[in-house]
């Protein structure tokens, strides 16, 4: 009987009162999104550079070599000038932009020069502009200069000229 009396002593909630608040389960944490580093660089171990797939975005002509920075290069860095034939140009200048196929945050652009030598169009990559920072095995930055030099060596082994020529409407 004592139990019955105790149960009757519970406060009665009026019918119009809202139900008591319950703690809701915690919301799941939002999915992690890759944050851009504060310096804007996308870091890549040097050993993986040769496996970085790139996609051509665009290429454009430059009006002259001076705009592309080729006049500032030492003469030994420039291809020998071919002879002009009528109004045909013996040197072409421009720039191109590429992105990472698997990581579109990666952006690599460079100036280029194409020069007629011995009846063939020879292409050279110039100054590289990128948001890529190569890192060593410990994850330490190699620096802007070393990254650019390694990217220029990498570009020398890529078959980029056909994509640029095609984008410019040049016949091969």
């Amino acid at each position: 009987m004592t139990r019955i009396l105790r149960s009757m002593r519970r406060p009665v909630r009026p019918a119009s009162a809202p139900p008591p608040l319950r703690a809701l389960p915690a919301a799941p944490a939002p999915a992690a999104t890759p944050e851009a580093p504060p310096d804007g660089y996308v870091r890549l171990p040097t050993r993986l550079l040769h496996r970085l797939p790139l996609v051509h975005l665009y290429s454009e002509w430059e009006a002259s070599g001076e705009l592309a920075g080729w006049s500032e290069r030492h003469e030994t860095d420039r291809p020998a000038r071919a002879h002009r034939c009528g109004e045909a140009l013996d040197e072409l200048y421009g720039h191109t932009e590429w992105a990472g196929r698997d990581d579109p945050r990666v952006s690599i652009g460079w100036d280029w020069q194409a020069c007629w030598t011995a009846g063939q169009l020879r292409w050279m990559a110039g100054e590289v502009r990128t948001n890529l920072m190569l890192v060593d095995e410990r994850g330490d930055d190699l620096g802007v200069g070393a990254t650019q030099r390694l990217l220029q060596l990498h570009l020398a082994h890529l078959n980029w000229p056909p994509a640029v020529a095609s984008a410019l409407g040049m016949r091969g």
Side-chain angles (χ1 to χ4, degrees), residues 55-76:
V55 176
H56 179 257
L57 296 179
Y58 74 93
S59 294
E60 291 182 331
W61 304 97
E62 294 287 347
S64 71
E66 284 72 30
L67 292 178
W70 288 97
S71 63
E72 299 166 8
R73 296 175 65 121
H74 190 272
E75 267 313 301
T76 58

mmCIF file of all heavy atoms in Angstrom, residues 55-76:
data_model
loop_
_atom_site.group_PDB
_atom_site.id
_atom_site.type_symbol
_atom_site.label_atom_id
_atom_site.label_comp_id
_atom_site.label_asym_id
_atom_site.label_seq_id
_atom_site.Cartn_x
_atom_site.Cartn_y
_atom_site.Cartn_z
ATOM 1 N N VAL A 55 46.259 17.470 -66.743
ATOM 2 C CA VAL A 55 45.255 17.677 -67.789
ATOM 3 C C VAL A 55 45.433 19.087 -68.335
ATOM 4 O O VAL A 55 45.536 20.052 -67.573
ATOM 5 C CB VAL A 55 43.827 17.510 -67.204
ATOM 6 C CG1 VAL A 55 42.775 17.825 -68.246
ATOM 7 C CG2 VAL A 55 43.633 16.129 -66.641
ATOM 8 N N HIS A 56 45.462 19.199 -69.665
ATOM 9 C CA HIS A 56 45.604 20.507 -70.310
ATOM 10 C C HIS A 56 44.338 21.323 -70.120
ATOM 11 O O HIS A 56 43.241 20.846 -70.386
ATOM 12 C CB HIS A 56 45.879 20.298 -71.807
ATOM 13 C CG HIS A 56 46.014 21.566 -72.555
ATOM 14 N ND1 HIS A 56 45.003 22.061 -73.342
ATOM 15 C CD2 HIS A 56 47.042 22.443 -72.637
ATOM 16 C CE1 HIS A 56 45.409 23.198 -73.874
ATOM 17 N NE2 HIS A 56 46.644 23.449 -73.477
ATOM 18 N N LEU A 57 44.486 22.562 -69.643
ATOM 19 C CA LEU A 57 43.345 23.457 -69.493
ATOM 20 C C LEU A 57 43.255 24.432 -70.665
ATOM 21 O O LEU A 57 42.226 24.548 -71.302
ATOM 22 C CB LEU A 57 43.438 24.252 -68.186
ATOM 23 C CG LEU A 57 43.387 23.427 -66.907
ATOM 24 C CD1 LEU A 57 43.523 24.340 -65.696
ATOM 25 C CD2 LEU A 57 42.089 22.626 -66.828
ATOM 26 N N TYR A 58 44.334 25.154 -70.935
ATOM 27 C CA TYR A 58 44.328 26.077 -72.069
ATOM 28 C C TYR A 58 45.748 26.479 -72.440
ATOM 29 O O TYR A 58 46.679 26.312 -71.666
ATOM 30 C CB TYR A 58 43.488 27.334 -71.777
ATOM 31 C CG TYR A 58 44.140 28.315 -70.832
ATOM 32 C CD1 TYR A 58 44.909 29.367 -71.322
ATOM 33 C CD2 TYR A 58 43.992 28.199 -69.464
ATOM 34 C CE1 TYR A 58 45.516 30.264 -70.467
ATOM 35 C CE2 TYR A 58 44.586 29.092 -68.603
ATOM 36 C CZ TYR A 58 45.345 30.125 -69.100
ATOM 37 O OH TYR A 58 45.949 31.015 -68.253
ATOM 38 N N SER A 59 45.883 27.020 -73.617
ATOM 39 C CA SER A 59 47.144 27.559 -74.100
ATOM 40 C C SER A 59 46.831 28.795 -74.920
ATOM 41 O O SER A 59 45.799 28.863 -75.586
ATOM 42 C CB SER A 59 47.885 26.545 -74.977
ATOM 43 O OG SER A 59 48.296 25.432 -74.212
ATOM 44 N N GLU A 60 47.724 29.766 -74.864
ATOM 45 C CA GLU A 60 47.540 31.004 -75.618
ATOM 46 C C GLU A 60 48.865 31.447 -76.214
ATOM 47 O O GLU A 60 49.930 31.111 -75.710
ATOM 48 C CB GLU A 60 47.031 32.124 -74.700
ATOM 49 C CG GLU A 60 45.629 31.910 -74.207
ATOM 50 C CD GLU A 60 45.150 33.061 -73.340
ATOM 51 O OE1 GLU A 60 45.966 33.721 -72.669
ATOM 52 O OE2 GLU A 60 43.933 33.281 -73.328
ATOM 53 N N TRP A 61 48.760 32.242 -77.285
ATOM 54 C CA TRP A 61 49.919 32.857 -77.915
ATOM 55 C C TRP A 61 50.314 34.088 -77.128
ATOM 56 O O TRP A 61 49.489 34.720 -76.507
ATOM 57 C CB TRP A 61 49.582 33.335 -79.326
ATOM 58 C CG TRP A 61 49.051 32.316 -80.256
ATOM 59 C CD1 TRP A 61 47.742 32.080 -80.550
ATOM 60 C CD2 TRP A 61 49.801 31.400 -81.041
ATOM 61 N NE1 TRP A 61 47.629 31.078 -81.470
ATOM 62 C CE2 TRP A 61 48.896 30.642 -81.791
ATOM 63 C CE3 TRP A 61 51.158 31.152 -81.184
ATOM 64 C CZ2 TRP A 61 49.294 29.647 -82.669
ATOM 65 C CZ3 TRP A 61 51.559 30.169 -82.058
ATOM 66 C CH2 TRP A 61 50.639 29.435 -82.786
ATOM 67 N N GLU A 62 51.571 34.468 -77.226
ATOM 68 C CA GLU A 62 52.051 35.754 -76.734
ATOM 69 C C GLU A 62 52.418 36.566 -77.967
ATOM 70 O O GLU A 62 52.809 36.011 -78.992
ATOM 71 C CB GLU A 62 53.285 35.595 -75.851
ATOM 72 C CG GLU A 62 53.034 34.863 -74.550
ATOM 73 C CD GLU A 62 52.263 35.675 -73.533
ATOM 74 O OE1 GLU A 62 52.117 36.905 -73.702
ATOM 75 O OE2 GLU A 62 51.798 35.082 -72.564
ATOM 76 N N ALA A 63 52.351 37.860 -77.844
ATOM 77 C CA ALA A 63 52.659 38.716 -78.981
ATOM 78 C C ALA A 63 54.138 38.682 -79.339
ATOM 79 O O ALA A 63 54.499 38.789 -80.497
ATOM 80 C CB ALA A 63 52.231 40.153 -78.687
ATOM 81 N N SER A 64 54.984 38.547 -78.344
ATOM 82 C CA SER A 64 56.419 38.527 -78.630
ATOM 83 C C SER A 64 57.147 37.803 -77.514
ATOM 84 O O SER A 64 56.597 37.555 -76.449
ATOM 85 C CB SER A 64 56.964 39.946 -78.750
ATOM 86 O OG SER A 64 56.975 40.550 -77.472
ATOM 87 N N GLY A 65 58.380 37.492 -77.748
ATOM 88 C CA GLY A 65 59.192 36.825 -76.746
ATOM 89 C C GLY A 65 59.436 37.691 -75.528
ATOM 90 O O GLY A 65 59.636 37.187 -74.438
ATOM 91 N N GLU A 66 59.395 39.026 -75.703
ATOM 92 C CA GLU A 66 59.621 39.905 -74.568
ATOM 93 C C GLU A 66 58.519 39.718 -73.526
ATOM 94 O O GLU A 66 58.771 39.731 -72.337
ATOM 95 C CB GLU A 66 59.683 41.367 -75.015
ATOM 96 C CG GLU A 66 60.997 41.737 -75.689
ATOM 97 C CD GLU A 66 61.148 41.138 -77.084
ATOM 98 O OE1 GLU A 66 60.123 40.934 -77.776
ATOM 99 O OE2 GLU A 66 62.290 40.854 -77.470
ATOM 100 N N LEU A 67 57.273 39.539 -73.976
ATOM 101 C CA LEU A 67 56.180 39.342 -73.032
ATOM 102 C C LEU A 67 56.323 38.018 -72.298
ATOM 103 O O LEU A 67 55.956 37.906 -71.142
ATOM 104 C CB LEU A 67 54.829 39.379 -73.760
ATOM 105 C CG LEU A 67 54.420 40.718 -74.340
ATOM 106 C CD1 LEU A 67 53.092 40.597 -75.064
ATOM 107 C CD2 LEU A 67 54.332 41.758 -73.245
ATOM 108 N N ALA A 68 56.853 37.030 -72.950
ATOM 109 C CA ALA A 68 56.982 35.721 -72.326
ATOM 110 C C ALA A 68 58.252 35.600 -71.493
ATOM 111 O O ALA A 68 58.483 34.587 -70.882
ATOM 112 C CB ALA A 68 56.967 34.624 -73.396
ATOM 113 N N GLY A 69 59.095 36.649 -71.475
ATOM 114 C CA GLY A 69 60.292 36.615 -70.657
ATOM 115 C C GLY A 69 61.484 35.949 -71.317
ATOM 116 O O GLY A 69 62.520 35.772 -70.704
ATOM 117 N N TRP A 70 61.372 35.608 -72.611
ATOM 118 C CA TRP A 70 62.478 34.901 -73.267
ATOM 119 C C TRP A 70 63.654 35.823 -73.526
ATOM 120 O O TRP A 70 64.799 35.392 -73.589
ATOM 121 C CB TRP A 70 62.008 34.267 -74.565
ATOM 122 C CG TRP A 70 61.130 33.100 -74.298
ATOM 123 C CD1 TRP A 70 59.775 33.096 -74.279
ATOM 124 C CD2 TRP A 70 61.540 31.780 -73.962
ATOM 125 N NE1 TRP A 70 59.312 31.856 -73.959
ATOM 126 C CE2 TRP A 70 60.372 31.013 -73.765
ATOM 127 C CE3 TRP A 70 62.769 31.156 -73.812
ATOM 128 C CZ2 TRP A 70 60.400 29.677 -73.430
ATOM 129 C CZ3 TRP A 70 62.794 29.815 -73.475
ATOM 130 C CH2 TRP A 70 61.623 29.091 -73.288
ATOM 131 N N SER A 71 63.392 37.116 -73.663
ATOM 132 C CA SER A 71 64.501 38.028 -73.930
ATOM 133 C C SER A 71 65.429 38.141 -72.728
ATOM 134 O O SER A 71 66.576 38.519 -72.865
ATOM 135 C CB SER A 71 63.970 39.408 -74.320
ATOM 136 O OG SER A 71 63.249 39.964 -73.231
ATOM 137 N N GLU A 72 64.935 37.819 -71.538
ATOM 138 C CA GLU A 72 65.744 37.897 -70.325
ATOM 139 C C GLU A 72 66.638 36.680 -70.154
ATOM 140 O O GLU A 72 67.539 36.682 -69.340
ATOM 141 C CB GLU A 72 64.832 38.026 -69.104
ATOM 142 C CG GLU A 72 63.970 39.282 -69.146
ATOM 143 C CD GLU A 72 62.848 39.235 -68.131
ATOM 144 O OE1 GLU A 72 62.839 38.301 -67.302
ATOM 145 O OE2 GLU A 72 62.001 40.128 -68.168
ATOM 146 N N ARG A 73 66.388 35.637 -70.903
ATOM 147 C CA ARG A 73 67.177 34.411 -70.777
ATOM 148 C C ARG A 73 68.536 34.588 -71.443
ATOM 149 O O ARG A 73 68.679 35.370 -72.374
ATOM 150 C CB ARG A 73 66.437 33.237 -71.410
ATOM 151 C CG ARG A 73 65.127 32.912 -70.693
ATOM 152 C CD ARG A 73 64.405 31.837 -71.431
ATOM 153 N NE ARG A 73 65.174 30.608 -71.385
ATOM 154 C CZ ARG A 73 64.733 29.472 -70.875
ATOM 155 N NH1 ARG A 73 63.555 29.413 -70.369
ATOM 156 N NH2 ARG A 73 65.482 28.396 -70.889
ATOM 157 N N HIS A 74 69.478 33.884 -70.978
ATOM 158 C CA HIS A 74 70.816 33.923 -71.558
ATOM 159 C C HIS A 74 70.753 33.309 -72.951
ATOM 160 O O HIS A 74 69.998 32.372 -73.207
ATOM 161 C CB HIS A 74 71.787 33.141 -70.665
ATOM 162 C CG HIS A 74 73.217 33.331 -71.055
ATOM 163 N ND1 HIS A 74 73.821 32.542 -71.998
ATOM 164 C CD2 HIS A 74 74.137 34.229 -70.643
ATOM 165 C CE1 HIS A 74 75.072 32.936 -72.141
ATOM 166 N NE2 HIS A 74 75.293 33.954 -71.322
ATOM 167 N N GLU A 75 71.545 33.824 -73.887
ATOM 168 C CA GLU A 75 71.523 33.344 -75.278
ATOM 169 C C GLU A 75 71.715 31.834 -75.388
ATOM 170 O O GLU A 75 71.142 31.193 -76.248
ATOM 171 C CB GLU A 75 72.605 34.037 -76.099
ATOM 172 C CG GLU A 75 72.179 35.279 -76.837
ATOM 173 C CD GLU A 75 70.885 35.160 -77.614
ATOM 174 O OE1 GLU A 75 70.752 34.301 -78.512
ATOM 175 O OE2 GLU A 75 69.978 35.950 -77.326
ATOM 176 N N THR A 76 72.527 31.243 -74.497
ATOM 177 C CA THR A 76 72.776 29.800 -74.600
ATOM 178 C C THR A 76 71.554 28.991 -74.196
ATOM 179 O O THR A 76 71.470 27.808 -74.498
ATOM 180 C CB THR A 76 73.972 29.390 -73.722
ATOM 181 O OG1 THR A 76 73.691 29.760 -72.370
ATOM 182 C CG2 THR A 76 75.249 30.050 -74.199
#
